Amino acid sequence: MEELATQSEVREKEKPKHSLQVLTPHEIVRELDKYIIGQDNAKRSVAIALRNRWRRQQVVGSMREEIMPNNIILIGPTGVGKTEIARRLAKLSGAPFIKVEATKYTEVGYVGRDVESMVRDLADIAVMMVRTEMLKVVEEKARDLADERIIDILVPQPPTQQPLNQMEQFEKMDIQKPFEILKMIEEGQKKEQPPTNGEADKREATANQRTRAKFRKKVKSGEMDDKEIEVEVSQMPPIASMQIMGPIGGGGMDEIAQNLQDAMSNIMPRKTKFRRVTIKEARAIFIQEESAKLIDQEALTKEAIDRAENNGIIFIDEIDKIAGKSKEGGPDVSREGVQRDLLPIVEGSSVGTRYGVVKSDHMLFIASGAFHVTKPSDLIPEMQGRFPIRVELESLTQDDFVKILTQPENALLKQYTAMLNSEGVEIEFTEGAIAAIARIAFEVNESVENIGARRLHTILTTLLEQILYDVPDLITEKHITITAETVDDKLEKIVRNRDLSRYIL
């Protein structure tokens, strides 16, 4: 009964609390400001959209199902923060998030991915998120069970004489005495077991428990982590590691192939083999096995589907590439055809996944595109109606580049400083150097091609290439200072030569 009670407690604890943080729109914008410079209008729009999702879940009654999310189109040149806004928003809320490229989908029946696969991929991500949370909940219990399995290997339980069951007694009785068998069945009597030395067994069991207690203390303290033991581990059947390919094209054939692979892996028996590993490695193996036993798969799937349906965010990038009509004759495989296939998913439909049916009615769709050649009005009218909020992101200025280099928590200069610190080298960028890097990035974007903040990556890579190559072999000094003169000497010639900067910067 004690074990059953323990298992029941684990079942209750393993249900994760909803990970969606309750943040006000102003708090969301403040969090986004830590990583993204400028683009205030875009931040406000996504903050309102995220808060509205929480507001809808607080509505009681049938009105909750009637409230649909306001999908967003982010319009702006590359490198201004469209993808980063959506990615940080999902991380901030703890919601299932997936980024897809609109250009990899084609009309059903042609070579390319089925648009429903984005919902199936989102369901996979939701399941992984919930499983990770459940593993953290049962980790302590799984560790205790793993330690007990290690102790069983080190100090096996003493063999005890169990009473013979009725069938074993029948096999031991004389077959020439059927009446004795019948009499035993009718009366429910059992043959007397040979007497055992109960006192000796009791002493042996007590000594065994003392020994197990000593080893349990050593195992839990990590004192024996380097000792080797022999453990039995299960191997995945060969079919589980094979990639089953379905017919090329849409129609959900990739899902059928995945379901076939899952079914075959469940049918094929798992083989086991003995491995010699350290106790530390054995604990990790046993924790993984015990955690899988403690997790309620049905509750996991239910929670994951609910989270994907009500909190999932699908970011569709390069949507401008499927806008407008195809200039060539023949089937419209990659433009309006994709929009027509994509429309039911955005409007709300039921998609079959390996975990069950997932509805996309209340998923938040954020689309983005540069719209250099086309414009949002080139989308089919039904698609435009499903993206009522349009936000235009501004091109980055020279001052924005200075802020991007220094203010965000993951600023590029901070990243390079951390990497060189691992070599014991401290690198310092003066204010003049930062201003020079920002000026060069802005000038190259204006004269060659505007790739936004991505230009800073190429400029810093070129600027620090020699230092990153010479540390630690040739550069022995522990402090390096980058000045404006250093930046000009390294990059000024490349900036002046437009043909050269087209290939290098």
Side-chain angles (χ1 to χ4, degrees):
M1 291 297 294
E2 184 179 354
E3 180 64 24
L4 290 176
T6 305
Q7 292 290 341
S8 177
E9 292 173 3
V10 171
R11 300 294 183 205
E12 289 299 321
K13 289 181 180 179
E14 73 184 14
K15 297 178 181 179
K17 296 181 179 178
H18 212 287
S19 62
L20 180 63
Q21 297 183 24
V22 183
L23 299 174
T24 66
H26 284 271
E27 290 174 340
I28 294 171
V29 171
R30 281 196 293 269
E31 290 296 323
L32 293 176
D33 285 341
K34 297 178 181 178
Y35 301 95
I36 302 156
I37 299 300
Q39 314 304 352
D40 294 334
N41 291 335
K43 292 175 184 176
R44 285 166 59 93
S45 297
V46 298
I48 294 171
L50 184 63
R51 181 66 177 186
N52 282 345
R53 311 191 77 185
W54 177 83
R55 290 166 177 159
R56 184 188 75 84
Q57 294 176 9
Q58 311 311 309
V59 176
V60 180
S62 59
M63 183 58 68
R64 179 189 297 182
E65 295 301 318
E66 300 298 328
I67 300 175
M68 297 298 174
N70 289 328
N71 300 321
I72 304 170
I73 289 184
L74 302 178
I75 305 167
T78 182
V80 296
K82 300 187 298 293
T83 304
E84 188 68 10
I85 286 175
R87 189 169 66 87
R88 291 293 174 182
L89 187 71
K91 191 172 184 180
L92 181 64
S93 64
F97 172 81
I98 184 172
K99 175 182 178 292
V100 298
E101 304 288 338
T103 52
K104 74 178 180 180
Y105 299 104
T106 61
E107 189 175 354
V108 172
Y110 294 90
V111 176
R113 292 209 68 185
D114 176 15
V115 293
E116 291 185 349
S117 63
M118 66 175 68
V119 178
R120 290 192 285 266
D121 292 341
L122 185 70
D124 290 336
I125 292 172
V127 168
M128 286 191 293
M129 290 178 61
V130 178
R131 179 180 288 115
T132 301
E133 294 176 15
M134 286 187 170
L135 287 175
K136 290 181 180 178
V137 173
V138 302
E139 183 179 8
E140 184 177 351
K141 177 65 177 176
R143 177 178 291 274
D144 292 339
L145 294 173
D147 287 341
E148 288 302 315
R149 289 178 62 176
I150 294 173
I151 295 167
D152 287 339
I153 296 174
L154 296 172
V155 188
Q157 293 278 10
T160 56
Q161 292 187 349
Q162 301 293 339
L164 296 176
N165 59 37
Q166 200 174 51
M167 184 58 68
E168 290 173 333
Q169 293 182 53
F170 290 162
E171 293 175 355
K172 291 180 176 294
M173 293 178 69
D174 191 348
I175 197 170
Q176 301 297 329
K177 300 179 180 179
F179 292 102
E180 185 177 347
I181 297 177
L182 291 174
K183 183 179 179 182
M184 177 180 172
I185 295 175
E186 292 174 358
E187 298 179 0
Q189 297 177 349
K190 297 182 180 180
K191 277 192 170 182
E192 293 183 0
Q193 297 301 316
T196 58
N197 190 348
E199 194 63 33
D201 290 345
K202 187 176 180 180
R203 286 197 299 269
E204 183 181 355
T206 303
N208 180 270
Q209 290 301 319
R210 285 199 299 267
T211 306
R212 289 173 63 87
K214 292 179 181 178
F215 274 89
R216 184 178 292 107
K217 184 177 180 180
K218 292 183 178 181
V219 168
K220 288 185 176 296
S221 65
E223 184 180 341
M224 302 183 66
D225 279 357
D226 295 332
K227 303 294 183 182
E228 289 191 347
I229 58 174
E230 194 175 60
V231 299
E232 186 178 11
V233 295
S234 60
Q235 293 179 296
M236 293 291 290
I239 190 69
S241 58
M242 292 175 58
Q243 183 66 37
I244 300 177
M245 301 298 293
I248 297 177
M253 297 309 299
D254 52 350
E255 180 67 14
I256 294 175
Q258 185 61 56
N259 289 337
L260 179 61
Q261 182 177 354
D262 293 342
M264 293 297 293
S265 62
N266 291 331
I267 293 173
M268 297 293 291
R270 289 176 177 263
K271 296 182 178 180
T272 59
K273 70 173 184 178
F274 286 93
R275 288 177 52 194
R276 194 158 188 87
V277 296
T278 64
I279 288 181
K280 184 176 181 180
E281 294 170 337
R283 183 184 292 110
I285 295 172
F286 291 157
I287 287 177
Q288 186 176 2
E289 293 178 356
E290 295 299 328
S291 297
K293 296 176 185 177
L294 292 172
I295 289 177
D296 186 346
Q297 293 296 330
E298 185 177 349
L300 185 154
T301 303
K302 183 179 179 181
E303 172 68 20
I305 291 178
D306 178 74
R307 197 173 296 188
E309 290 180 342
N310 294 295
N311 298 306
I313 300 175
I314 297 181
F315 182 78
I316 306 175
D317 202 5
E318 307 293 350
I319 198 171
D320 57 315
K321 304 301 187 296
I322 63 172
K325 295 183 178 180
S326 177
K327 298 180 181 180
E328 302 177 358
D332 186 13
V333 176
S334 60
R335 290 201 175 190
E336 284 192 8
V338 178
Q339 293 185 57
R340 288 192 296 268
D341 292 340
L342 191 60
L343 186 61
I345 303 296
V346 181
E347 286 185 334
S349 60
S350 299
V351 179
T353 71
R354 73 178 77 175
Y355 314 106
V357 176
V358 177
K359 297 180 180 180
S360 63
D361 300 64
H362 298 287
M363 294 179 182
L364 177 64
F365 290 85
I366 302 177
S368 77
F371 289 99
H372 290 309
V373 179
T374 59
K375 51 187 179 295
S377 59
D378 290 330
L379 295 167
I380 61 177
E382 296 87 351
M383 185 67 74
Q384 295 181 47
R386 293 305 296 166
F387 287 90
I389 301 178
R390 301 177 187 177
V391 183
E392 188 168 354
L393 282 77
E394 302 171 354
S395 297
L396 298 173
T397 64
Q398 184 172 331
D399 291 337
D400 289 334
F401 283 133
V402 174
K403 295 176 182 177
I404 290 171
L405 286 170
T406 56
Q407 291 185 8
E409 294 188 3
N410 61 337
L412 279 176
L413 297 186
K414 297 178 182 178
Q415 294 179 24
Y416 279 104
T417 301
M419 286 192 294
L420 287 172
N421 279 341
S422 66
E423 301 275 6
V425 177
E426 183 181 353
I427 188 167
E428 178 187 356
F429 293 86
T430 64
E431 292 185 4
I434 296 173
I437 294 171
R439 173 180 54 81
I440 292 173
F442 180 76
E443 290 177 358
V444 175
N445 275 348
E446 289 290 313
S447 60
V448 181
E449 187 71 33
N450 189 356
I451 61 173
R454 292 186 177 93
R455 184 71 65 188
L456 295 173
H457 287 270
T458 58
I459 287 178
L460 285 174
T461 300
T462 305
L463 175 65
L464 303 176
E465 181 180 19
Q466 193 65 42
I467 295 175
L468 294 172
Y469 180 71
D470 290 340
V471 172
D473 296 325
L474 302 181
I475 296 180
T476 57
E477 52 188 303
K478 298 300 181 181
H479 186 87
I480 300 174
T481 302
I482 304 295
T483 63
E485 291 74 15
T486 308
V487 176
D488 290 336
D489 293 342
K490 189 71 176 178
L491 302 176
E492 194 64 31
K493 293 181 181 179
I494 299 176
V495 174
R496 289 177 181 174
N497 190 336
R498 292 184 59 182
D499 291 334
L500 189 58
S501 63
R502 190 180 297 272
Y503 294 101
I504 296 179
L505 295 181

